Amino acid sequence: MSKPTQTLLVNGRKVTTCAEPTTRLLDFLRDELGLTGTKEGCGGGECGACTVIVDGSPVCSCLMLLGSAAGKEVLTVEGLHGEDGGLHPVQQAFVDHAAVQCGFCTPGLLMNATAYLESGDPKDPQSVRHALAGNLCRCTGYAKILDAVEQASRALPAQGKEVQ
């Protein structure tokens, strides 16, 4: 008897696997696909380091099972890029504002900020803070991160009101 397969779209590529549906999405991405940009910080959905975008929404991949991701579109930091193939506006803003220190939390912050900015939700400072509240960063103090998200909101004007 053959194992059931799971099929999902990861960074625009169709992936079919026989991995157990109870495998954490984080482990599948890192161990099976070699997408190690997604980090494991706490393993309990508290730190946001493992954030990926699933069908347009940010998700802690340490809490999502592969079976729950089947049939869905998953975007990891490795798949994040601008329309020209270069840096995505959020990535560029993080570079411009030096919104990184050790870099461990950066992939999760990039993914959460991207999902937020592309959501069409209002882009006021309080909403930005609320959207990023699930991402812990020990190094930056968040000021540069918030500045970066503000810059990125201006680079994505069609996605809602920019940060004031």
Side-chain angles (χ1 to χ4, degrees):
M1 180 177 190
S2 65
K3 286 177 112 177
T5 60
Q6 320 290 325
T7 301
L8 55 157
L9 197 63
V10 179
N11 297 334
R13 186 182 73 150
K14 184 178 176 182
V15 175
T16 300
T17 181
C18 292
E20 291 294 327
T22 55
T23 301
R24 295 185 312 166
L25 179 59
L26 172 66
D27 297 328
F28 176 73
L29 294 170
R30 292 180 59 82
D31 301 339
E32 300 295 324
L33 300 184
L35 299 173
T36 58
T38 304
K39 307 299 183 204
E40 179 167 12
C42 67
E46 297 294 326
C47 73
C50 67
T51 301
V52 297
I53 299 173
V54 178
D55 284 349
S57 297
V59 170
C60 287
S61 62
C62 71
L63 298 179
M64 183 175 229
L65 300 179
L66 180 59
S68 297
K72 297 186 183 316
E73 184 173 350
V74 178
L75 180 66
T76 71
V77 71
E78 290 90 350
L80 193 62
H81 54 78
E83 291 180 14
D84 62 357
L87 294 178
H88 186 278
V90 175
Q91 292 170 310
Q92 186 62 57
F94 270 60
V95 169
D96 293 348
H97 288 276
V100 297
Q101 294 281 315
C102 77
F104 188 81
C105 67
T106 305
L109 279 162
L110 287 170
M111 300 314 292
N112 205 0
T114 298
Y116 165 69
L117 291 172
E118 293 181 351
S119 71
D121 291 339
K123 307 301 182 244
D124 59 85
Q126 183 176 352
S127 295
V128 173
R129 285 182 189 87
H130 180 73
L132 299 181
N135 292 89
L136 302 180
C137 175
R138 294 177 169 209
C139 303
T140 65
Y142 295 96
K144 292 179 179 186
I145 294 167
L146 296 173
D147 291 344
V149 175
E150 178 182 351
Q151 175 183 317
S153 75
R154 292 191 304 268
L156 299 167
Q159 301 301 325
K161 192 178 120 198
E162 72 180 50
V163 178
Q164 302 288 329

